Amino acid sequence: MDTSQILVTLGGVGLAGFVVWYFFFGKRETKAATVNDSGIQEVAITVKGGYSPDIIEVVQGKPVRLKFYRDETSSCSEELVFSEFKLRRDLPAFETTIIDILPTNKGTFEFTCGMNMLRGKLVVR
Ligand SMILES: [Cu+2]
């Protein structure tokens, strides 16, 4: 291998490492839901190349309202899948989609885009 081949190889390895790092450790943001006047645990989530916040903490047994604002037209995020709650919903671009759920079980439940690429978690305590 000459120098340029080594550089390309290192670049490729570096890029792969970054992608792995990004998916597993990148910009995790945890947010606890706030309880509104009606006793509903609310969280606003921005959808733009991911979910922000992407870890949402709620308490068990009280209604939860997730307000997904999709701030992009990228087709990746147009669908939201929340298998624990048997939900599959379209998120129209530049609109807020309200998803009401009742967390009856404690645990960590993943929500994803329709292609299982973007990921977020609902942590029920
Ligand atoms: Cu996707």
Side-chain angles (χ1 to χ4, degrees), residues 38-114:
S38 320
I40 298 172
Q41 310 181 78
E42 288 192 320
V43 185
I45 300 154
T46 301
V47 182
K48 191 173 191 176
Y51 303 109
S52 169
D54 60 354
I55 301 173
I56 292 138
E57 295 178 338
V58 299
V59 298
Q60 181 190 23
K62 285 186 182 161
V64 171
R65 177 162 295 163
L66 303 174
K67 297 185 286 188
F68 285 91
Y69 177 71
R70 182 160 162 246
D71 194 17
E72 64 180 1
T73 53
S74 159
S75 62
C76 183
S77 60
E78 70 190 357
E79 216 180 12
L80 180 84
V81 179
F82 210 152
S83 52
E84 168 72 12
F85 300 95
K86 298 181 177 60
L87 270 170
R88 183 176 273 270
R89 293 278 279 276
D90 284 333
L91 304 180
F94 310 114
E95 282 181 33
T96 298
T97 303
I98 304 234
I99 293 183
D100 286 318
I101 52 177
L102 183 65
T104 49
N105 299 318
K106 286 187 183 180
T108 299
F109 308 110
E110 199 166 54
F111 52 90
T112 66
C113 70

Coordinates of all heavy atoms in Angstrom, one line a residue, residues 38-114:
S38 N -54.1 19.1 33.5 CA -55.1 18.0 33.5 C -54.4 16.7 34.0 O -55.0 15.6 33.8 CB -55.6 17.8 32.0 OG -55.8 19.0 31.4
G39 N -53.2 16.8 34.5 CA -52.5 15.6 35.0 C -51.9 14.7 33.9 O -51.6 13.6 34.1
I40 N -51.8 15.3 32.7 CA -51.2 14.6 31.6 C -49.7 14.9 31.5 O -49.3 16.0 31.7 CB -51.8 14.9 30.3 CG1 -53.3 14.5 30.3 CG2 -51.1 14.3 29.1 CD1 -54.1 15.0 29.1
Q41 N -48.9 13.9 31.4 CA -47.4 14.0 31.3 C -47.1 14.4 29.8 O -47.3 13.6 29.0 CB -46.7 12.7 31.7 CG -47.1 12.1 33.0 CD -46.4 10.9 33.3 OE1 -45.2 11.0 33.8 NE2 -47.0 9.7 33.1
E42 N -46.6 15.6 29.6 CA -46.4 16.1 28.3 C -44.9 16.2 28.0 O -44.1 16.6 28.8 CB -47.0 17.4 28.1 CG -48.5 17.4 28.0 CD -49.0 18.8 27.5 OE1 -48.5 19.8 27.9 OE2 -50.0 18.7 26.8
V43 N -44.5 15.9 26.7 CA -43.2 16.1 26.3 C -43.3 16.6 24.8 O -44.0 16.0 24.0 CB -42.3 14.9 26.3 CG1 -40.9 15.2 25.9 CG2 -42.3 14.3 27.7
A44 N -42.6 17.6 24.4 CA -42.5 18.0 23.1 C -41.2 17.5 22.5 O -40.1 17.6 23.1 CB -42.4 19.6 23.0
I45 N -41.3 16.8 21.3 CA -40.1 16.2 20.7 C -40.0 16.8 19.3 O -40.9 16.8 18.5 CB -40.3 14.7 20.6 CG1 -40.5 14.1 22.0 CG2 -39.2 14.0 19.9 CD1 -41.3 12.8 22.0
T46 N -38.8 17.2 19.0 CA -38.5 17.7 17.6 C -37.9 16.5 16.8 O -37.0 15.8 17.3 CB -37.5 18.9 17.7 OG1 -38.1 19.9 18.5 CG2 -37.2 19.4 16.3
V47 N -38.4 16.4 15.6 CA -38.0 15.3 14.7 C -37.2 15.9 13.6 O -37.8 16.7 12.8 CB -39.2 14.5 14.1 CG1 -38.7 13.4 13.3 CG2 -40.1 14.0 15.2
K48 N -35.9 15.7 13.6 CA -35.0 16.3 12.6 C -33.8 15.5 12.5 O -32.9 15.7 13.4 CB -34.8 17.8 12.9 CG -34.1 18.5 11.7 CD -34.0 20.0 12.0 CE -33.6 20.7 10.7 NZ -33.6 22.1 10.9
G49 N -33.7 14.5 11.6 CA -32.5 13.7 11.6 C -32.4 12.8 12.8 O -31.3 12.2 13.1
G50 N -33.4 12.8 13.7 CA -33.4 12.0 14.9 C -34.5 12.6 15.8 O -35.3 13.5 15.3
Y51 N -34.6 12.1 17.0 CA -35.6 12.6 17.9 C -34.9 13.4 19.0 O -33.9 13.0 19.6 CB -36.4 11.5 18.6 CG -37.0 10.6 17.5 CD1 -36.6 9.3 17.3 CD2 -38.1 11.1 16.8 CE1 -37.2 8.5 16.3 CE2 -38.7 10.3 15.8 CZ -38.2 9.0 15.6 OH -38.8 8.3 14.6
S52 N -35.4 14.6 19.3 CA -34.8 15.4 20.3 C -35.8 16.0 21.3 O -36.6 16.8 20.8 CB -34.0 16.5 19.6 OG -33.6 17.5 20.5
P53 N -35.9 15.6 22.5 CA -35.0 14.6 23.2 C -35.3 13.2 22.7 O -36.4 13.0 22.1 CB -35.4 14.8 24.7 CG -36.8 15.2 24.6 CD -37.0 16.1 23.4
D54 N -34.3 12.3 22.9 CA -34.6 11.0 22.4 C -34.7 9.9 23.5 O -35.0 8.8 23.3 CB -33.5 10.5 21.4 CG -32.1 10.5 22.0 OD1 -31.9 11.0 23.1 OD2 -31.2 10.1 21.3
I55 N -34.6 10.4 24.8 CA -34.9 9.6 25.9 C -35.9 10.3 26.8 O -35.6 11.4 27.3 CB -33.7 9.2 26.7 CG1 -32.6 8.5 25.8 CG2 -34.0 8.3 27.9 CD1 -31.3 8.2 26.5
I56 N -37.1 9.8 26.9 CA -38.2 10.5 27.6 C -38.6 9.7 28.8 O -38.9 8.5 28.7 CB -39.4 10.7 26.6 CG1 -38.9 11.6 25.5 CG2 -40.6 11.2 27.3 CD1 -39.4 11.2 24.2
E57 N -38.6 10.4 29.9 CA -38.9 9.7 31.2 C -40.3 10.1 31.7 O -40.6 11.3 31.7 CB -37.9 10.1 32.3 CG -36.5 9.6 31.9 CD -35.4 10.1 33.0 OE1 -35.7 11.1 33.7 OE2 -34.4 9.4 33.0
V58 N -41.1 9.1 32.0 CA -42.4 9.3 32.5 C -42.6 8.4 33.7 O -41.8 7.5 33.9 CB -43.5 9.1 31.4 CG1 -43.3 10.0 30.2 CG2 -43.4 7.6 30.9
V59 N -43.7 8.6 34.4 CA -44.1 7.7 35.4 C -45.2 6.8 35.0 O -46.0 7.1 34.1 CB -44.4 8.4 36.8 CG1 -43.3 9.2 37.3 CG2 -45.7 9.3 36.6
Q60 N -45.2 5.6 35.5 CA -46.2 4.6 35.2 C -47.6 5.0 35.5 O -47.8 5.6 36.6 CB -45.8 3.3 35.9 CG -46.7 2.1 35.6 CD -46.3 0.9 36.6 OE1 -45.8 1.2 37.7 NE2 -46.6 -0.3 36.2
G61 N -48.6 4.6 34.7 CA -50.0 4.6 35.1 C -50.7 6.0 34.9 O -51.9 6.1 35.1
K62 N -49.9 7.0 34.4 CA -50.5 8.3 34.2 C -50.5 8.6 32.7 O -49.4 8.3 32.1 CB -49.8 9.4 34.9 CG -50.1 9.5 36.4 CD -49.4 10.7 37.0 CE -49.7 10.7 38.5 NZ -48.7 11.5 39.2
P63 N -51.5 9.2 32.1 CA -51.5 9.4 30.7 C -50.3 10.3 30.2 O -49.8 11.2 30.9 CB -52.8 10.1 30.4 CG -53.4 10.5 31.7 CD -52.7 9.7 32.7
V64 N -49.8 9.9 29.0 CA -48.6 10.6 28.4 C -49.1 11.2 27.1 O -49.7 10.5 26.3 CB -47.5 9.6 28.2 CG1 -46.3 10.2 27.4 CG2 -47.0 9.1 29.6
R65 N -48.7 12.4 26.9 CA -48.9 13.0 25.6 C -47.6 13.4 24.9 O -46.8 14.2 25.5 CB -49.8 14.3 25.7 CG -50.0 15.0 24.4 CD -51.2 16.0 24.6 NE -52.4 15.2 24.7 CZ -53.5 15.7 25.2 NH1 -53.6 17.0 25.5 NH2 -54.6 15.0 25.3
L66 N -47.3 12.7 23.8 CA -46.0 13.0 23.1 C -46.4 14.0 21.9 O -47.2 13.6 21.1 CB -45.4 11.7 22.6 CG -45.1 10.7 23.7 CD1 -44.6 9.4 23.0 CD2 -44.1 11.2 24.7
K67 N -45.7 15.1 21.9 CA -46.0 16.0 20.8 C -44.8 16.1 19.9 O -43.8 16.7 20.2 CB -46.3 17.4 21.4 CG -47.5 17.4 22.3 CD -47.8 18.8 22.9 CE -46.8 19.2 23.9 NZ -47.3 20.5 24.6
F68 N -45.0 15.4 18.8 CA -43.9 15.3 17.8 C -44.0 16.4 16.8 O -44.9 16.4 16.0 CB -43.9 13.9 17.1 CG -43.5 12.8 17.9 CD1 -44.4 12.0 18.7 CD2 -42.1 12.4 17.9 CE1 -44.0 11.0 19.4 CE2 -41.7 11.3 18.6 CZ -42.6 10.6 19.4
Y69 N -43.0 17.3 16.8 CA -43.0 18.3 15.7 C -41.9 17.9 14.7 O -40.7 17.8 15.0 CB -42.6 19.7 16.3 CG -42.5 20.7 15.2 CD1 -43.6 21.2 14.6 CD2 -41.2 21.2 14.8 CE1 -43.5 22.1 13.5 CE2 -41.1 22.1 13.8 CZ -42.3 22.6 13.1 OH -42.2 23.5 12.1
R70 N -42.3 17.6 13.5 CA -41.4 17.1 12.4 C -40.9 18.3 11.7 O -41.6 18.9 10.8 CB -42.1 16.1 11.5 CG -41.1 15.6 10.5 CD -41.6 14.3 9.9 NE -41.0 14.0 8.7 CZ -41.6 13.9 7.5 NH1 -42.9 14.1 7.4 NH2 -40.9 13.7 6.4
D71 N -39.6 18.7 11.9 CA -39.0 19.9 11.4 C -38.2 19.6 10.2 O -37.0 20.0 10.0 CB -38.1 20.5 12.5 CG -37.7 21.9 12.2 OD1 -38.3 22.5 11.2 OD2 -36.8 22.4 12.8
E72 N -38.7 18.7 9.3 CA -38.0 18.4 8.0 C -38.9 17.6 7.1 O -40.0 17.2 7.5 CB -36.8 17.5 8.4 CG -37.2 16.1 9.0 CD -36.0 15.2 9.3 OE1 -34.8 15.7 9.0 OE2 -36.2 14.1 9.7
T73 N -38.5 17.5 5.9 CA -39.3 16.7 4.9 C -38.6 15.4 4.6 O -39.2 14.6 3.8 CB -39.5 17.5 3.6 OG1 -38.2 17.9 3.1 CG2 -40.3 18.7 3.8
S74 N -37.5 15.1 5.1 CA -36.7 13.9 4.9 C -37.7 12.7 5.1 O -38.3 12.5 6.1 CB -35.6 13.8 5.8 OG -35.2 12.4 6.0
S75 N -37.7 11.8 4.0 CA -38.7 10.7 4.1 C -38.4 9.7 5.2 O -39.3 9.0 5.7 CB -38.8 10.0 2.8 OG -37.5 9.4 2.5
C76 N -37.2 9.7 5.7 CA -36.8 8.8 6.8 C -37.7 8.9 8.0 O -38.1 7.9 8.6 CB -35.4 9.0 7.2 SG -34.8 7.9 8.4
S77 N -38.1 10.1 8.3 CA -38.8 10.4 9.6 C -40.3 10.5 9.4 O -41.0 10.8 10.4 CB -38.2 11.6 10.3 OG -38.4 12.7 9.5
E78 N -40.8 10.2 8.2 CA -42.2 10.5 8.0 C -43.2 9.5 8.7 O -44.3 9.8 8.9 CB -42.6 10.5 6.5 CG -42.5 9.1 5.8 CD -42.6 9.2 4.3 OE1 -42.8 10.3 3.8 OE2 -42.5 8.2 3.6
E79 N -42.6 8.4 9.2 CA -43.5 7.5 10.0 C -42.9 7.3 11.3 O -41.7 7.2 11.5 CB -43.5 6.2 9.2 CG -44.9 5.5 9.3 CD -44.9 4.2 8.5 OE1 -43.9 3.7 8.1 OE2 -46.0 3.7 8.3
L80 N -43.8 7.1 12.3 CA -43.3 6.8 13.7 C -43.9 5.5 14.1 O -45.1 5.2 13.9 CB -43.8 7.9 14.6 CG -43.3 7.6 16.1 CD1 -41.9 8.2 16.3 CD2 -44.3 8.3 17.1
V81 N -43.1 4.6 14.6 CA -43.5 3.3 15.0 C -43.2 3.1 16.5 O -42.1 3.4 16.9 CB -42.8 2.2 14.2 CG1 -43.2 0.8 14.7 CG2 -43.0 2.3 12.7
F82 N -44.2 2.7 17.2 CA -44.1 2.6 18.7 C -44.7 1.2 19.0 O -45.9 1.2 19.3 CB -44.8 3.7 19.4 CG -44.2 4.1 20.7 CD1 -44.3 5.4 21.1 CD2 -43.5 3.2 21.5 CE1 -43.8 5.8 22.4 CE2 -43.0 3.6 22.7 CZ -43.1 4.9 23.1
S83 N -43.9 0.2 18.9 CA -44.5 -1.2 18.9 C -45.2 -1.5 20.2 O -46.2 -2.2 20.2 CB -43.5 -2.2 18.4 OG -42.3 -2.1 19.2
E84 N -44.6 -1.1 21.3 CA -45.1 -1.4 22.6 C -46.6 -1.0 22.7 O -47.4 -1.6 23.3 CB -44.3 -0.7 23.7 CG -44.9 -0.7 25.1 CD -44.9 -2.1 25.8 OE1 -44.2 -3.0 25.3 OE2 -45.6 -2.2 26.8
F85 N -46.9 0.1 22.0 CA -48.3 0.7 22.1 C -49.0 0.4 20.8 O -50.1 1.0 20.5 CB -48.2 2.2 22.4 CG -47.6 2.4 23.8 CD1 -46.2 2.7 23.8 CD2 -48.3 2.3 24.9 CE1 -45.6 2.9 25.1 CE2 -47.7 2.5 26.2 CZ -46.4 2.8 26.2
K86 N -48.5 -0.5 20.0 CA -49.1 -0.9 18.7 C -49.5 0.3 17.8 O -50.5 0.4 17.3 CB -50.4 -1.8 18.9 CG -50.0 -3.0 19.7 CD -51.2 -3.9 19.9 CE -50.8 -5.2 20.6 NZ -50.2 -5.1 21.9
L87 N -48.5 1.3 17.8 CA -48.8 2.5 17.1 C -47.9 2.6 15.8 O -46.7 2.3 15.9 CB -48.4 3.7 18.0 CG -49.5 4.3 18.9 CD1 -48.8 5.2 19.8 CD2 -50.5 5.0 18.0
R88 N -48.5 3.1 14.7 CA -47.7 3.4 13.5 C -48.4 4.6 13.0 O -49.6 4.6 12.6 CB -47.8 2.2 12.6 CG -47.0 2.4 11.3 CD -47.0 1.2 10.4 NE -46.0 0.2 10.8 CZ -44.8 0.2 10.2 NH1 -44.5 1.1 9.3 NH2 -43.9 -0.7 10.6
R89 N -47.7 5.8 13.0 CA -48.4 7.0 12.7 C -47.5 7.8 11.7 O -46.3 7.8 11.8 CB -48.6 7.9 13.9 CG -49.6 7.3 14.9 CD -51.0 7.5 14.5 NE -51.4 8.9 14.9 CZ -51.8 9.1 16.2 NH1 -52.0 8.2 17.1 NH2 -52.1 10.4 16.5
D90 N -48.2 8.5 10.8 CA -47.5 9.4 9.9 C -47.3 10.7 10.6 O -48.2 11.2 11.4 CB -48.4 9.7 8.7 CG -48.4 8.5 7.7 OD1 -47.4 7.8 7.7 OD2 -49.3 8.3 7.0
L91 N -46.1 11.3 10.4 CA -45.8 12.6 11.0 C -45.7 13.6 9.9 O -44.7 13.6 9.2 CB -44.5 12.6 11.8 CG -44.3 11.5 12.9 CD1 -42.9 11.7 13.5 CD2 -45.4 11.7 14.0
P92 N -46.8 14.4 9.6 CA -46.7 15.4 8.5 C -45.6 16.4 8.8 O -45.3 16.8 10.0 CB -48.0 16.1 8.6 CG -48.9 15.2 9.4 CD -48.0 14.5 10.3
A93 N -44.9 16.8 7.7 CA -43.8 17.7 7.9 C -44.3 19.1 8.4 O -45.3 19.5 8.0 CB -43.1 17.9 6.5
F94 N -43.5 19.7 9.3 CA -43.7 21.0 9.8 C -45.1 21.1 10.5 O -45.7 22.2 10.5 CB -43.6 22.1 8.7 CG -42.3 22.0 8.0 CD1 -42.3 21.6 6.6 CD2 -41.1 22.1 8.6 CE1 -41.1 21.5 5.9 CE2 -39.9 21.9 7.9 CZ -39.9 21.6 6.6
E95 N -45.5 20.0 11.1 CA -46.7 20.0 11.9 C -46.4 19.2 13.2 O -45.5 18.4 13.3 CB -47.8 19.3 11.2 CG -48.5 20.1 10.1 CD -49.6 19.4 9.4 OE1 -50.3 18.6 10.1 OE2 -49.8 19.6 8.2
T96 N -47.2 19.5 14.2 CA -47.1 18.7 15.5 C -48.2 17.6 15.5 O -49.3 17.9 15.2 CB -47.4 19.7 16.7 OG1 -46.3 20.7 16.7 CG2 -47.3 18.9 18.0
T97 N -47.7 16.4 15.7 CA -48.6 15.3 15.8 C -48.6 14.8 17.2 O -47.6 14.6 17.8 CB -48.1 14.1 14.9 OG1 -47.9 14.6 13.6 CG2 -49.0 12.9 14.9
I98 N -49.9 14.7 17.7 CA -50.0 14.4 19.2 C -50.3 12.9 19.3 O -51.1 12.4 18.6 CB -51.2 15.2 19.7 CG1 -51.0 16.7 19.5 CG2 -51.5 14.8 21.2 CD1 -51.0 17.5 20.7
I99 N -49.5 12.3 20.1 CA -49.7 10.8 20.4 C -50.0 10.7 21.9 O -49.1 11.0 22.7 CB -48.5 10.1 19.9 CG1 -48.4 10.2 18.4 CG2 -48.5 8.6 20.3 CD1 -47.3 9.4 17.7
D100 N -51.1 10.2 22.2 CA -51.5 9.9 23.6 C -51.4 8.4 23.9 O -51.9 7.6 23.1 CB -53.0 10.4 23.8 CG -53.1 11.9 23.8 OD1 -52.2 12.5 24.4 OD2 -54.1 12.4 23.2
I101 N -50.7 8.2 24.9 CA -50.6 6.8 25.4 C -50.7 6.7 26.9 O -50.6 7.7 27.6 CB -49.2 6.2 25.0 CG1 -48.0 7.1 25.5 CG2 -49.1 6.0 23.5 CD1 -46.7 6.6 25.2
L102 N -51.0 5.5 27.3 CA -51.0 5.2 28.8 C -50.0 4.1 29.1 O -50.2 3.0 28.7 CB -52.5 4.8 29.2 CG -52.7 4.6 30.7 CD1 -52.5 5.9 31.4 CD2 -54.0 3.9 30.9
P103 N -48.9 4.5 29.8 CA -47.9 3.5 30.1 C -48.3 2.7 31.3 O -48.2 3.1 32.4 CB -46.7 4.4 30.4 CG -47.2 5.7 30.9 CD -48.6 5.9 30.3
T104 N -48.8 1.5 31.0 CA -49.3 0.6 32.1 C -48.1 -0.2 32.7 O -48.2 -0.7 33.8 CB -50.4 -0.3 31.6 OG1 -50.0 -0.9 30.4 CG2 -51.7 0.5 31.4
N105 N -47.1 -0.4 31.9 CA -46.0 -1.2 32.3 C -44.7 -0.4 32.5 O -44.4 0.5 31.8 CB -45.6 -2.3 31.3 CG -46.8 -3.3 31.1 OD1 -47.5 -3.6 32.0 ND2 -47.0 -3.6 29.8
K106 N -43.9 -0.8 33.6 CA -42.6 -0.1 33.7 C -41.6 -0.7 32.7 O -41.8 -1.9 32.4 CB -42.1 -0.3 35.1 CG -42.8 0.5 36.2 CD -42.2 0.4 37.5 CE -43.0 1.2 38.5 NZ -42.5 1.2 39.9
G107 N -40.7 0.1 32.4 CA -39.6 -0.5 31.5 C -39.2 0.6 30.5 O -39.6 1.7 30.6
T108 N -38.4 0.1 29.5 CA -37.8 1.0 28.5 C -38.4 0.6 27.2 O -38.2 -0.6 26.8 CB -36.3 1.0 28.5 OG1 -35.9 1.4 29.8 CG2 -35.7 1.9 27.4
F109 N -39.1 1.4 26.5 CA -39.8 1.1 25.2 C -39.2 2.0 24.1 O -39.2 3.2 24.2 CB -41.3 1.2 25.4 CG -41.8 0.5 26.6 CD1 -42.2 1.2 27.7 CD2 -41.7 -0.9 26.7 CE1 -42.7 0.5 28.8 CE2 -42.2 -1.6 27.8 CZ -42.6 -0.9 28.9
E110 N -38.9 1.3 23.0 CA -38.2 2.1 21.9 C -39.3 2.5 20.9 O -40.2 1.8 20.6 CB -37.2 1.1 21.2 CG -36.2 1.9 20.4 CD -35.0 1.1 20.0 OE1 -35.2 0.0 19.4 OE2 -33.9 1.5 20.3
F111 N -39.1 3.7 20.4 CA -39.9 4.1 19.2 C -38.9 4.4 18.1 O -37.7 4.8 18.4 CB -40.8 5.3 19.5 CG -40.2 6.5 20.1 CD1 -39.6 7.5 19.4 CD2 -40.1 6.7 21.5 CE1 -39.1 8.7 19.9 CE2 -39.5 7.8 22.1 CZ -39.0 8.8 21.3
T112 N -39.3 4.2 16.9 CA -38.4 4.3 15.8 C -39.1 5.0 14.6 O -40.3 5.1 14.6 CB -37.9 3.0 15.3 OG1 -39.0 2.2 14.8 CG2 -37.2 2.2 16.4
C113 N -38.3 5.3 13.5 CA -39.0 5.7 12.3 C -39.4 4.4 11.6 O -39.1 3.3 12.0 CB -38.0 6.5 11.4 SG -36.6 5.5 10.8
G114 N -40.1 4.5 10.5 CA -40.7 3.4 9.8 C -39.6 2.4 9.3 O -39.9 1.3 9.0

